[in-house]
């Protein structure tokens, strides 16, 4: 479902893509999409979470485990921030962001999460 949503969102836009189209492309029933991600907003949230907090982020986080020296922790934290930004960049869609209220709302929520993590 995630791949189907990502494919359709990137080609048709978020607002023009329907749950029925996502279900058809994923080869599942619409009810499965709704029970799994609840809505297009839920699917978009899952896609952004995977894009931002994927393998590079996890690897950067793991480097922090067991590090107690505050100066070293700050230096390693920069790797975490960079992993988030670099994973996010290829997945952002500026044209879609200006057109889709849902994408702007989701991006804003992830920015708040990122800010909280950096604090």
């Amino acid at each position: 479902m995630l791949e189907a949503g990502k494919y359709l969102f990137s080609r048709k836009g978020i607002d023009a893509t329907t749950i029925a189209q996502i279900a058809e492309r994923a080869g599942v029933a619409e009810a499965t999409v709704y029970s799994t991600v609840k809505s297009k907003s839920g699917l978009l949230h899952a896609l952004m979470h995977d894009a931002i907090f994927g393998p590079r982020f996890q690897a950067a986080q793991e480097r922090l485990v067991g590090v107690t020296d505050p100066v070293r922790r700050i230096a390693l934290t920069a790797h975490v921030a960079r992993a988030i930004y670099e994973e996010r960049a290829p997945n952002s869609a500026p044209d879609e962001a200006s057109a889709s209220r849902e994408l702007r709302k989701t991006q804003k929520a992830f920015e708040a999460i990122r800010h909280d993590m950096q604090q």
Side-chain angles (χ1 to χ4, degrees):
M1 287 181 291
L2 292 176
E3 287 303 315
K6 184 176 180 180
Y7 176 87
L8 291 168
F9 288 166
S10 69
R11 281 158 183 80
K12 297 179 65 155
I14 294 164
D15 295 334
T17 300
T18 66
I19 292 292
Q21 292 165 338
I22 293 166
E24 181 180 338
R25 179 151 185 94
V28 299
E30 284 183 58
T32 302
V33 177
Y34 283 113
S35 68
T36 305
V37 294
K38 311 295 183 229
S39 63
K40 280 196 300 185
S41 175
L43 180 63
L44 182 60
H45 186 275
L47 286 168
M48 288 192 69
H49 186 275
D50 285 355
I52 294 171
F53 301 111
R56 290 193 59 208
F57 172 82
Q58 295 300 322
Q61 281 282 91
E62 288 173 15
R63 292 175 70 184
L64 287 167
V65 174
V67 177
T68 56
D69 176 53
V71 174
R72 182 77 180 129
R73 281 191 68 79
I74 290 170
L76 289 173
T77 300
H79 291 283
V80 174
R82 185 173 182 165
I84 291 172
Y85 280 115
E86 288 179 355
E87 288 297 328
R88 191 178 81 174
N91 294 293
S92 60
D95 293 337
E96 180 69 15
S98 62
S100 174
R101 192 183 97 213
E102 194 58 48
L103 181 57
R104 286 192 310 271
K105 185 172 112 181
T106 303
Q107 287 174 325
K108 187 174 180 177
F110 274 94
E111 278 298 301
I113 292 168
R114 184 184 62 76
H115 283 277
D116 289 345
M117 289 174 64
Q118 285 183 323
Q119 285 182 334

